Amino acid sequence: MKPPAFTYCDPDSVDEAVALKNEYGIDSLVLAGGQSLLPMLNIRLARPEALIDINRISDLQKIERWSDVLEIGAGVRQYQLEDHPLVQELVPLLPQAVKFIGHIENRHRGTVGGSIAHADSAAELPCTAVALDATLVVRGPSGSRTIAARDFFQGWMTTALEPEEVLVAVRYPVMPWTAGHGFVEVARREGDFALAGAAAVVNLGEDGRIASLAVSAASISDTPVRATAVEQALAGELPTKENIARAAKEIVPSVTSGDDMHATRAYRQHLATVVVQRAITAAVARAHERSNAQ
Amino acid sequence: MATEHANTEEKSGYKYLGADRKRVEDPRLLVGRGGYIADLKLPGMLHAAILRSPVPHARIRSVDATEALKLPGVVAVVTGEDCKAKMNPCMNFGPASIAQYPLAVDKVRYVGEAVAAVVAESRYIAEDAVELLEVDFEDLPPVTDPMAAMEPGSALLHEEHGSNIGYERTFEFGDVNAAFSQADFVVEDTLHWGRSAGMPMETSGAVAHPGLNGVLEIYCNSLNFSYFSFLIASALKLPSNKLTMKPVPAGGSFGSKFTAHKVPTLTGFLALQVGRPVSYIEDRIDHLMNSDHHASDRYYDARMGFRDDGTIVGLDIDVVDDYGAYMQFGVGTHGNAFSQIVGPYRFRDVKYHVRAVLTNKCQQGAYRGFGSEVHNWVLERLVDKAARRLGLAPEEIRRRNFIQPDQFPYKIPGGNVYDSGNYPAVLDKALSMIDLDKWRDEQKRLREEEGRYIGIGLATTQERSVFSATEFWALMDNPAFPLTSSPESATVTIDPTGEFQLLLHCQSMWGNSPETVGATVLAEEFGIAPESVNIRYADSAHALPGTGPGGSRYTVMLAGAVRGAARKLQKKLIDIAAHTLEVAAEDLELVDARVQVKGAPERSLTLAELAGTAYFFALNLPEGMTSGLEESYTYDHPYTTLPSPDRSDLGVFYPIMGHACHIAVLEVDPDTGILSFLDYVAVHDAGTIVNPKSLGGHVTGGAAQGLGSTLYEELAYDEDGQFKSSTFMDYLIPTANEVPAFRMAHVETPSPFTEYGIKGGGEGGRMVTPSVVSAAIDDALRDFGMRVRELPVKPSEIVATVQAGRAAAGSA
């Protein structure tokens, strides 16, 4: 369990990192927290010619508000989201979801950008980015561009990032104060990869009906899944237990993962409905709390 | 996770035995100075990496090392052809027709089997070179289903053996048909216990060094080397006095390093080939797929007969054990089942048909319980099934069947003897620690009012300890080497200033507490501070007879050896004091590190004064006494007998019998299949307790591992023979988050056969959790018809049962 030889680069700036990406292209990989990459190197599933270590780039480690957007640098450690005041106030779904990432040791090293660029469909940050309609800021040799999270995740550990581009930040729209959110995940052990997970953000109208709903699910397919059929089934409806349970079943056709060591396909289909139902239920309860507090 | 001790029985007149004591091993381990095998660096040392078979069953046509040998830093490539030409097969307690080498010879027989080794200047280079090896495999049909493997047309693992059945035999003790004809009913079950393994943080490893005078030195963390080093020498074609095995502390074993011989044998062979020191440390993938330690993988058809009052009349077992590709330990894991075949129950008629089947999977080795835990799970599954049928509480059906305290020593069907026990007392203690009536009311209320499902499980286990060597061969008709010795030795030295040295004669440091045990016994015998004793380990060139830990024997055997040596030293000290003080020896006593005159303690000599005399004042010694204060003692197994020639009686081979009762309360989420514990009580009887703290550690760790085998851990192969559990993403070990806080207590029923009445207690935790957790899951989901028949129980299976139960209720 030793990695094959590679060239190690540790740029000081994003421009330098982009230049290195441009030089090595597809034969290079970005090293951030290393929580997924280092095991992959050690069991030789990844064999880059060059490893571009971005840990020294301080520009990637900022959390800032720009009017109705919270921008989180790609190099921000995951644990920082757990109790950061801005994150708690503006995008409270994130602190809740981040606690499900591995164990605290993993979150101390793992980064926000690392998890999103790695694009494991079981991961919490890709799933929440899709539910929150986040925008990903990437930089390449010809400058920066943005990609909607829903377009970013293209397949199993495959993204819209070009080989010479570096992910530099994630922009999260600020959640309305009255929005409710829920994140539910089931794993065999605490900290394991999700068997299934779901994020939900809901806004209720004054009539108590669902004004808007965003739901996404993790670990049911090659990519995080935006559950539009579930959302549509509840649009304008009262969030009753029965309505939520009925709508949650709409996730089933999106479950494409087959049997594996930990779950059969049938179990995952069932579990997807359970976590979606529970996430929406939690989000609705939270929205009620917020409305009552107002 | 916290472990709570409660109500340890007040005990006898011992001053040190039985008191909670921090382990003397801990300080150096906790600061990272354990000195493990991967810490050992010798000048000029090379590193080995292994090419593992990617296919389950194939003939090896050729191994081409041309490109690998061109890589700078590569020193040698060694293959099975080299082993075949220069070695004998590895040690083997199974049939001689199933030979094994540390690198596959002619054929590979499982995914992960070692095909070739690269020796290089670094592990990095060695792994680079492994990728450059080209092996030409001629694929053979994979044999993965043990039932299909027994069919006549199946491909054969070992052509020389002529069959994929490595061992088959029916044992019958009493008359099961006659017993069942007296039964009011017979319960039966089809059960599967899946493969899991002890998984220490430290893998197996060795450093071999071709030393002076043609002596090969092998440092390794595997066990039993002083017992079996001659067998490693034989595999390497070395005279046994030209091999020295050097003990290195093991960072945990749980059985996985018990006689783990392939790693030191291979490393020794590699060092001999290159003439330089070589280190080979398994990485986690090596360890998961090519170790010596995958454990039982058994399919049962089991029947148990009962009378309507709940008493058991007999047991009929038909077991197929999926052994994998080799049979290094024979069928010793079934011998373990025979050691406690009736559990704590009184019935006399037992039939046991066993088939050990060869398949394209990793061989089996040792794991905490060594097969007896599997048998206990089967027993307890059947007893619970009968209790449900009779409407009896689990504690009540067990109480009605217990062997009674006045029946010991108790000879069980098959010949083993239980030395002592008080099973009702253990059950009563457990019941006193938890309010089952309250929990049963709560269970009903939660089910009816909140739709929540909690389950209560109760199970018992026997905990056989202190194996005798006869168990290695007692199931064989014509054993090649029917040995009967399994001794342990200790050397105690009191130096000229009165300080103590204790020399242990085996590799006994594997996560247990040999040093604490030895020091505590010396403290008890001499009144010295246990922490003051210095402890060392002899290498195989210096070691007296020793068998090493395994089968929960070491605490009992070491206590016997140390006490034996202590008695010899005590006599010498008293004789010196008698001569010096000019009083009769019988008027002296050794109290608190002084020899004093009985009734006149002011007339005394300290150990330091007596030691000074022993070493430096020969003219002051009694006539005929020689200088110095060092004694050794070899303690043989306290109670073992030969099996009968026809094996209708297997003899006494595991007589020091502990017992335990666990009660678990857990909640099952019926929509996700995930469990959480609400309470857990564990009561053990390991005879006289040496150290409640370390015994509690054994119970906790064992129970955690039992939980792993029950719910999480699975060494799985698919139907094509591919291995599915080669990383910790797939092989899930419970962590502190999954393990409940055990509320623990002990009952102490001393053994009549051991020094101080100590019994072994290293494995009982793992021997009972599978039964108690299975019972609790069944109880929680009984509305849905849940019955655990296969381990591990996965969430997907729980949910499928709930869904099927709901569908059936809906259509009814």
Side-chain angles (χ1 to χ4, degrees):
Chain A
M1 251 194 240
K2 302 291 182 197
F6 52 81
T7 300
Y8 174 78
C9 317
D10 61 337
D12 292 318
S13 68
V14 175
D15 286 344
E16 211 182 317
V18 170
L20 286 162
K21 277 300 268 180
N22 198 34
E23 180 186 345
Y24 289 102
I26 202 155
D27 293 325
S28 64
L29 287 172
V30 170
L31 172 65
Q35 296 303 288
S36 300
L37 179 55
L38 291 185
M40 288 173 72
L41 285 173
N42 284 339
I43 57 180
R44 301 189 174 213
L45 283 174
R47 15 177 102 242
E49 186 187 341
L51 211 54
I52 302 169
D53 182 346
I54 60 167
N55 282 290
R56 284 173 35 163
I57 306 177
S58 51
D59 281 354
L60 295 177
Q61 289 159 11
K62 294 176 183 161
I63 298 178
E64 289 171 311
R65 179 178 186 165
W66 307 98
S67 80
D68 58 348
V69 166
L70 182 72
E71 182 170 304
I72 299 180
V76 168
R77 306 287 167 189
Q78 291 151 3
Y79 84 93
Q80 289 179 270
L81 307 191
E82 291 180 44
D83 52 10
H84 193 286
L86 272 182
V87 180
Q88 283 182 323
E89 181 195 339
L90 303 176
V91 195
L93 176 65
L94 285 177
Q96 199 187 352
V98 160
K99 290 202 172 67
F100 288 91
I101 301 176
H103 300 275
I104 186 65
E105 297 84 350
N106 306 110
R107 303 196 288 273
H108 273 141
R109 293 206 66 85
T111 65
V112 172
S115 174
I116 286 177
H118 184 59
D120 187 328
S121 75
E124 294 75 8
L125 285 168
C127 178
T128 47
V130 165
L132 291 165
D133 286 318
T135 302
L136 307 174
V137 184
V138 306
R139 198 177 312 166
S142 51
S144 294
R145 66 179 180 123
T146 58
I147 309 169
R150 288 167 77 165
D151 301 326
F152 184 77
F153 301 103
Q154 299 189 330
W156 177 247
M157 292 188 187
T158 306
T159 70
L161 206 58
E162 296 296 333
E164 65 279 4
E165 288 179 323
V166 175
L167 174 63
V168 293
V170 188
R171 290 182 185 154
Y172 293 95
V174 169
M175 287 167 59
W177 193 84
T178 51
H181 64 272
F183 189 89
V184 173
E185 178 175 314
V186 175
R188 290 193 66 190
R189 301 174 306 179
E190 190 175 318
D192 274 339
F193 289 94
L195 296 171
V201 179
V202 68
N203 288 288
L204 299 177
E206 286 181 8
D207 55 359
R209 292 178 183 272
I210 289 177
S212 73
L213 173 66
V215 178
S216 66
S219 203
I220 62 170
S221 188
D222 285 351
T223 62
V225 172
R226 181 70 181 252
T228 47
V230 176
E231 295 167 10
Q232 283 160 14
L234 279 169
E237 300 286 338
L238 285 168
T240 60
K241 190 177 171 190
E242 294 70 28
N243 283 342
I244 294 171
R246 179 178 46 77
K249 292 204 170 74
E250 299 292 333
I251 193 68
V252 170
S254 303
V255 180
T256 62
S257 301
D259 294 357
D260 64 26
M261 275 288 285
H262 305 306
T264 59
R265 183 189 174 87
Y267 173 69
R268 218 174 223 118
Q269 287 174 335
H270 167 79
L271 201 61
T273 64
V274 171
V275 293
V276 165
Q277 184 181 344
R278 290 181 180 180
I280 297 172
T281 303
V284 167
R286 175 87 172 164
H288 281 141
E289 267 174 43
R290 288 276 173 135
S291 314
N292 296 338
Q294 209 171 26
Chain B
M1 183 192 72
T3 297
E4 176 190 327
H5 292 281
N7 300 323
T8 299
E9 307 262 303
E10 277 303 310
K11 220 30 230 166
S12 66
Y14 299 124
K15 185 167 176 188
Y16 294 91
L17 290 173
D20 262 328
R21 181 171 307 288
K22 286 184 182 174
R23 303 187 333 140
V24 302
E25 296 87 345
D26 281 345
R28 71 176 188 273
L29 299 180
L30 293 174
V31 299
R33 298 201 174 165
Y36 296 125
I37 187 69
D39 300 325
L40 182 64
K41 313 274 187 250
L42 298 182
M45 186 172 86
L46 300 169
H47 298 265
I50 301 291
L51 172 67
R52 296 175 288 261
S53 175
V55 293
H57 196 190
R59 218 166 286 289
I60 303 170
R61 285 208 195 100
S62 64
V63 180
D64 182 352
T66 314
E67 293 303 313
L69 287 167
K70 284 182 191 163
L71 193 70
V74 171
V75 175
V77 173
V78 176
T79 70
E81 287 298 307
D82 300 303
C83 295
K84 193 166 137 184
K86 300 175 188 170
M87 287 181 72
N88 291 316
C90 287
M91 71 166 76
N92 177 16
F93 294 94
S97 49
I98 304 174
Q100 184 178 22
Y101 291 85
L103 298 172
V105 167
D106 299 333
K107 273 175 77 169
V108 288
R109 295 183 176 87
Y110 58 93
V111 168
E113 183 166 15
V115 176
V118 175
V119 182
E121 297 290 343
S122 78
R123 179 74 180 233
Y124 291 84
I125 296 169
E127 291 193 19
D128 290 345
V130 161
E131 294 191 327
L132 298 173
L133 292 171
E134 287 189 21
V135 185
D136 184 5
F137 289 113
E138 175 191 341
D139 283 330
L140 297 168
V143 180
T144 56
D145 174 2
M147 306 304 166
M150 293 187 285
E151 298 293 327
S154 174
L156 291 179
L157 271 279
H158 296 269
E159 287 79 4
E160 313 75 22
H161 188 67
S163 159
N164 287 330
I165 299 179
Y167 174 90
E168 176 173 14
R169 184 150 180 165
T170 301
F171 294 86
E172 184 158 12
F173 310 116
D175 183 340
V176 168
N177 285 339
F180 279 12
S181 72
Q182 304 290 311
D184 292 314
F185 65 97
V186 174
V187 296
E188 53 185 89
D189 231 335
T190 302
L191 302 165
H192 176 218
W193 173 288
R195 268 178 187 233
S196 55
M199 203 57 63
M201 282 194 280
E202 182 210 37
T203 57
S204 296
V207 174
H209 174 226
L212 300 173
N213 300 324
V215 172
L216 177 68
E217 296 178 335
I218 304 178
Y219 298 81
C220 74
N221 58 9
S222 63
L223 281 297
N224 308 83
F225 69 81
S226 53
Y227 204 32
F228 291 134
S229 66
F230 73 99
L231 292 174
I232 292 179
S234 161
L236 294 170
K237 293 191 173 176
L238 288 175
S240 62
N241 63 347
K242 296 295 184 185
L243 171 68
T244 300
M245 302 294 286
K246 300 272 199 181
V248 177
S253 166
F254 321 110
S256 75
K257 291 179 178 119
F258 181 83
T259 318
H261 56 87
K262 282 189 310 195
V263 166
T265 307
L266 175 63
T267 312
F269 185 65
L270 296 176
L272 290 173
Q273 303 315 299
V274 299
R276 283 173 64 180
V278 174
S279 165
Y280 172 59
I281 316 284
E282 290 177 336
D283 64 25
R284 188 57 61 181
I285 298 174
D286 290 321
H287 193 62
L288 275 160
M289 69 197 320
N290 184 35
S291 62
D292 286 315
H293 72 298
H294 284 202
S296 297
D297 188 352
R298 296 186 186 172
Y299 297 82
Y300 284 89
D301 283 312
R303 300 193 301 147
M304 189 177 253
F306 288 85
R307 293 211 184 81
D308 281 336
D309 64 0
T311 51
I312 306 165
V313 299
L315 175 68
D316 184 1
I317 297 275
D318 186 356
V319 54
V320 170
D321 204 334
D322 187 350
Y323 256 74
Y326 300 96
M327 291 190 66
Q328 56 178 353
F329 298 135
V331 283
T333 53
H334 291 276
N336 268 249
F338 285 119
S339 72
Q340 48 183 63
I341 197 159
V342 295
Y345 309 125
R346 282 188 308 268
F347 64 97
R348 300 298 312 173
D349 299 288
V350 182
K351 190 167 156 189
Y352 194 101
H353 177 213
V354 51
R355 283 170 288 180
V357 181
L358 299 160
T359 57
N360 291 120
K361 301 173 188 177
C362 185
Q363 70 195 335
Q364 289 186 13
Y367 186 23
R368 215 166 192 167
F370 205 59
S372 61
E373 80 286 17
V374 190
H375 182 76
N376 191 66
W377 178 68
V378 174
L379 276 182
E380 295 293 271
R381 291 275 73 203
L382 294 169
V383 169
D384 280 338
K385 192 168 189 179
R388 179 71 53 83
R389 173 175 169 144
L390 290 167
L392 284 177
E395 60 272 29
E396 182 56 29
I397 193 166
R398 286 170 173 81
R399 195 185 293 282
R400 291 183 188 183
N401 283 286
F402 279 153
I403 298 161
Q404 293 301 302
D406 60 3
Q407 291 181 284
F408 296 96
Y410 183 88
K411 187 177 179 69
I412 64 166
N416 196 36
V417 163
Y418 295 171
D419 56 347
S420 66
N422 190 342
Y423 309 147
V426 173
L427 177 64
D428 288 340
K429 171 72 85 179
L431 291 171
S432 75
M433 292 167 66
I434 187 167
D435 189 342
L436 281 189
D437 291 338
K438 190 203 83 178
W439 276 116
R440 283 169 181 150
D441 290 345
E442 182 68 358
Q443 179 182 45
K444 188 161 179 289
R445 188 190 69 76
L446 285 172
R447 210 169 287 192
E448 289 167 1
E449 295 177 14
E450 297 183 28
R452 290 170 58 192
Y453 294 87
I454 69 170
I456 300 157
L458 181 150
T460 62
T461 189
Q462 297 297 87
E463 183 179 7
R464 86 287 172 278
S465 69
V466 196
F467 70 73
S468 150
T470 59
E471 78 143 338
F472 299 158
W473 53 267
L475 301 189
M476 306 285 185
D477 274 324
N478 296 298
F481 187 51
L483 74 169
T484 58
S485 300
S486 36
E488 212 56 67
S489 300
T491 301
V492 179
T493 308
I494 305 175
D495 79 6
T497 69
E499 300 292 340
F500 279 67
Q501 301 267 8
L502 173 60
L503 182 65
L504 307 182
H505 293 272
C506 66
Q507 158 65 302
S508 55
M509 181 77 180
W510 64 345
N512 54 342
S513 315
E515 300 175 20
T516 303
V517 171
T520 304
V521 171
L522 285 176
E524 193 65 50
E525 292 299 318
F526 293 96
I528 56 167
E531 296 74 20
S532 72
V533 179
N534 188 53
I535 295 163
R536 297 164 299 134
Y537 298 85
D539 67 27
S540 67
H542 299 89
L544 294 168
T547 311
S552 295
R553 66 190 304 280
Y554 200 67
T555 295
V556 167
M557 297 302 293
L558 180 64
V562 172
R563 195 181 203 185
R567 284 188 177 124
K568 290 161 79 175
L569 277 174
Q570 286 163 344
K571 178 172 187 321
K572 188 165 186 179
L573 288 166
I574 284 181
D575 286 347
I576 295 170
H579 189 69
T580 307
L581 297 171
E582 296 182 325
V583 297
E586 52 271 26
D587 293 332
L588 292 171
E589 58 187 356
L590 201 167
V591 177
D592 291 341
R594 308 172 75 85
V595 176
Q596 63 190 29
V597 177
K598 290 176 188 168
E602 69 283 0
R603 290 195 65 201
S604 69
L605 292 164
T606 65
L607 290 184
E609 288 168 329
L610 291 164
T613 301
Y615 280 88
F616 298 124
F617 298 94
L619 296 181
N620 293 354
L621 293 176
E623 192 168 340
M625 183 181 283
T626 55
S627 294
L629 277 175
E630 176 171 291
E631 295 290 354
S632 294
Y633 189 81
T634 298
Y635 179 72
D636 274 306
H637 191 282
Y639 180 24
T640 182
T641 64
L642 280 173
S644 67
D646 66 356
R647 304 297 188 266
S648 62
D649 186 312
L650 300 171
V652 177
F653 60 99
Y654 238 138
I656 313 303
M657 192 61 60
H659 181 77
C661 177
H662 287 201
I663 303 173
V665 184
L666 52 74
E667 177 165 4
V668 185
D669 180 339
D671 291 318
T672 64
I674 301 293
L675 311 180
S676 49
F677 284 91
L678 304 175
D679 200 0
Y680 199 116
V681 165
V683 178
H684 284 244
D685 183 350
T688 304
I689 298 175
V690 177
N691 184 358
K693 192 185 285 290
S694 60
L695 179 60
H698 273 304
V699 171
T700 301
Q705 289 181 311
L707 201 60
S709 298
T710 307
L711 297 176
Y712 302 103
E713 300 180 36
E714 186 182 21
L715 295 163
Y717 293 83
D718 69 16
E719 62 265 32
D720 299 323
Q722 281 301 323
F723 186 54
K724 294 164 68 183
S725 311
S726 57
T727 75
F728 281 165
M729 252 178 72
D730 303 309
Y731 191 81
L732 306 181
I733 300 165
T735 71
N737 296 311
E738 283 71 47
V739 178
F742 300 111
R743 294 195 296 122
M744 205 179 295
H746 303 281
V747 168
E748 293 185 72
T749 311
S751 172
F753 303 126
T754 67
E755 294 293 340
Y756 310 107
I758 301 167
K759 299 183 181 186
E763 298 166 86
R766 185 167 178 270
M767 292 161 78
V768 63
T769 23
S771 302
V772 73
V773 174
S774 297
I777 294 170
D778 284 357
D779 188 49
L781 300 176
R782 64 181 178 221
D783 292 357
F784 306 103
M786 185 75 199
R787 179 152 178 81
V788 172
R789 290 195 180 83
E790 179 163 40
L791 300 185
V793 193
K794 295 190 193 178
S796 53
E797 191 198 327
I798 289 174
V799 165
T801 302
V802 169
Q803 287 178 321
R806 281 180 174 154
S811 64

